[in-house]
Amino acid sequence: MDSIPANRRLWNQISSAYQHEHDPQIGATPRLWGMYSIPDAHLHALGDVTGKRVLELGCGAGQWSRALAAEGATVVGLDLSEAQLAAAADAMGAARYPLVQGAAEQLPFAADSFDLVFCDFGGLSWAPPHLAVPQAARVLTRGGRLVFNVASPWFEVCYDEAASRVTTTLQKDYFGLNSIAEDDGATSYQLTYGDWVKVLRGAGLIIDDLIEPRPDLGTPNGYNETDPPDWAHRWPAELLWVTHKP
Ligand SMILES: C[S@@+](CC[C@H](N)C(=O)[O-])C[C@H]1O[C@@H](n2cnc3c(N)ncnc32)[C@H](O)[C@@H]1O
């Protein structure tokens, strides 16, 4: 299924409201992961990027990319939405980096171009993983790393669509998790743990770690309501995969 046109349309429509609501949190300080803005300094997922060639898949307004560029990485920010890229261009700091319009499932880069490909709820949440993961692996150099954060299957199967909140009740089947219908015909993606492992290994990647970010008690979720409020302190809301190309 080709979700590129509808996903591009959705993100162009919601970009301005999304940045108004979330940029104050996700852009507050560099390197914050996910819905709970957990610092990378606590999770140690990305490591030192100085001098590395880095691609962010679905960079949005570039909160991550501009931080890594300022640290001395050679960063490319890729996104499907021209409105999101315009927000990234507006927010670019002194450390400038190129922005590219493109889709994670059809990367417009030569093989072996990057030492690190990463995203935080970006292209690997919004492109079919069986297409986007092999593309990421293709553009990585040997030894290069693919690191990405997505919602966990727990979070997805406990999400009550009618109440718009995450619950303690299983709401949908776990087996068969794949595409998730979003507003206005857009699609996001989620896999079971087993399917993520198959897709990553099938693309020739080695899995080094699966970090399950755990917010401290009382940390607000900037995106979703959860019932109980400390849901993500008790169950994993996100999966942060750390992999490399051998
Ligand atoms: C939730 S934002 C993630 C960006 C940033 N980390 C953030 O938290 O705001 C999702 C981003 O993925 C982009 N996107 C959607 N589909 C995509 C695709 N197929 N390829 C690349 N980027 C895509 C959207 O335009 C949007 O900027």
Side-chain angles (χ1 to χ4, degrees), residues 46 49 51-80 84-85 88-89 92 95-104 106-110 112-120 122-123 136 139-140 145-147:
L46 228 51
V49 297
K52 299 251 164 65
R53 293 163 298 166
V54 177
L55 171 64
E56 183 173 6
L57 289 178
C59 63
Q63 290 90 355
W64 268 98
S65 281
R66 70 171 177 262
L68 301 191
E71 290 175 29
T74 302
V75 180
V76 175
L78 173 127
D79 203 282
L80 189 56
Q84 290 281 79
L85 290 168
M92 200 172 284
R96 305 195 65 78
Y97 62 94
L99 295 167
V100 174
Q101 186 167 24
Q106 300 171 355
L107 289 180
F109 305 107
D112 306 325
S113 299
F114 296 97
D115 305 305
L116 170 67
V117 176
F118 84 101
C119 61
D120 187 15
V139 303
L140 278 174
R145 300 192 308 144
L146 172 64
V147 178

Side-chain angles (χ1 to χ4, degrees), residues 1-15 19 55-62 76-88 99-109 119 121-128 132 185-189:
M1 184 180 61
D2 183 2
S3 51
I4 293 175
N7 285 1
R8 179 178 166 202
R9 219 168 25 244
L10 174 75
W11 279 97
N12 281 338
Q13 272 165 21
I14 67 173
S15 171
Q19 295 307 335
L55 171 64
E56 183 173 6
L57 289 178
C59 63
V76 175
L78 173 127
D79 203 282
L80 189 56
S81 152
E82 54 270 31
Q84 290 281 79
L85 290 168
L99 295 167
V100 174
Q101 186 167 24
E105 51 270 70
Q106 300 171 355
L107 289 180
F109 305 107
C119 61
F121 282 85
L124 287 169
S125 299
W126 291 88
T187 307
S188 66
Y189 296 88

Side-chain angles (χ1 to χ4, degrees), residues 132-231:
V133 169
Q135 282 288 303
R138 180 182 66 77
V139 303
L140 278 174
T141 54
R142 281 183 185 281
R145 300 192 308 144
L146 172 64
V147 178
F148 62 97
N149 190 31
V150 295
S152 76
W154 292 72
F155 193 85
E156 292 297 351
V157 299
C158 291
Y159 191 84
D160 181 340
E161 298 286 345
S164 299
R165 71 168 71 104
V166 180
T167 68
T168 53
T169 306
L170 296 173
Q171 306 281 347
K172 60 172 88 112
D173 289 357
Y174 170 81
F175 291 114
L177 268 183
N178 183 10
S179 59
I180 296 159
E182 303 284 352
D183 290 345
D184 295 320
T187 307
S188 66
Y189 296 88
Q190 176 56 273
L191 301 182
T192 63
Y193 289 91
D195 284 346
W196 275 119
V197 170
K198 276 196 197 73
V199 166
L200 290 164
R201 287 172 53 89
L205 296 168
I206 306 289
I207 298 169
D208 298 310
D209 203 355
L210 171 55
I211 300 170
E212 298 177 302
R214 186 184 190 195
D216 291 336
L217 265 180
T219 309
N221 182 320
Y223 292 79
N224 294 101
E225 210 179 304
T226 67
D227 179 15
D230 67 349
W231 194 99

